[in-house]
Amino acid sequence: MYAKITKLDDAFQLFDEMTQRKPLPSVIKFNQLLQVVAKLKHYSSLIDLFKKMVSIGVLVDVYTTNTVIMCCCQMYRTSEGFAIVAYGLKRGVVPNVFTFNTILNGLILEDRILEAKRLFKKVIKEQLCDLDVVTYNTMIKGLCKFGNNDTAISLLRMMNERGYKPIVSHMTPSLIVFARTK
């Protein structure tokens, strides 16, 4: 059913059909529809659908909030992504590593590297989730983007000490040379 959706109007029509069902479909079905809308890159429409879901009482999960956060970040509205994190927390939805990776990437896209560094440190210090290679690579990419190569190299060393191997395609040429010599 979702594979047949190629236009935003088809997604809206299916959403309307889903909201008319009694009982409402599970959040998983709504998440699948949101994922299709995200693939179509209709981010603001996805956020509108999310708001409608909430208004009709669909209980969202971390997958739902992560999809909405990703859309906010893609539209350079990471602050709204933080608001979605807060919304989820109030409803018992605990952010995961994907949540933090998405927010960190959004901050870097918006040239907010200091905020990204603060969030990264907070996640580590408060053990908010287990970091993964994507988290480290996102930060390394952001640090290099802003010329903080020394900090990026330190982070690369920390990553190596923790047993993570960098994704070389995400690194700058100078860090690739450094990573290969280690």
Side-chain angles (χ1 to χ4, degrees), residues 60-71:
V60 301
D61 60 13
V62 70
Y63 190 84
T64 317
T65 56
N66 284 344
T67 302
V68 176
I69 291 165
M70 184 270 307
C71 290

Side-chain angles (χ1 to χ4, degrees), residues 109-125:
L109 283 173
E110 293 178 23
D111 296 339
R112 296 165 61 184
I113 190 66
L114 293 178
E115 291 172 74
K117 285 167 66 173
R118 277 194 295 267
L119 177 61
F120 180 77
K121 288 177 183 178
K122 179 178 179 151
V123 171
I124 291 173
K125 182 178 179 184

Side-chain angles (χ1 to χ4, degrees), residues 39-95:
K39 286 181 183 172
L40 294 172
K41 299 186 183 213
H42 288 283
Y43 304 128
S44 60
S45 295
L46 185 143
I47 293 169
D48 291 339
L49 290 176
F50 169 75
K51 290 176 182 176
K52 289 178 184 176
M53 284 172 56
V54 169
S55 72
I56 63 171
V58 176
L59 298 176
V60 301
D61 60 13
V62 70
Y63 190 84
T64 317
T65 56
N66 284 344
T67 302
V68 176
I69 291 165
M70 184 270 307
C71 290
C72 292
C73 292
Q74 288 297 312
M75 295 187 308
Y76 298 88
R77 295 170 21 193
T78 304
S79 295
E80 291 178 32
F82 278 110
I84 299 299
V85 172
Y87 170 85
L89 284 169
K90 288 179 185 174
R91 283 148 188 82
V93 177
V94 179

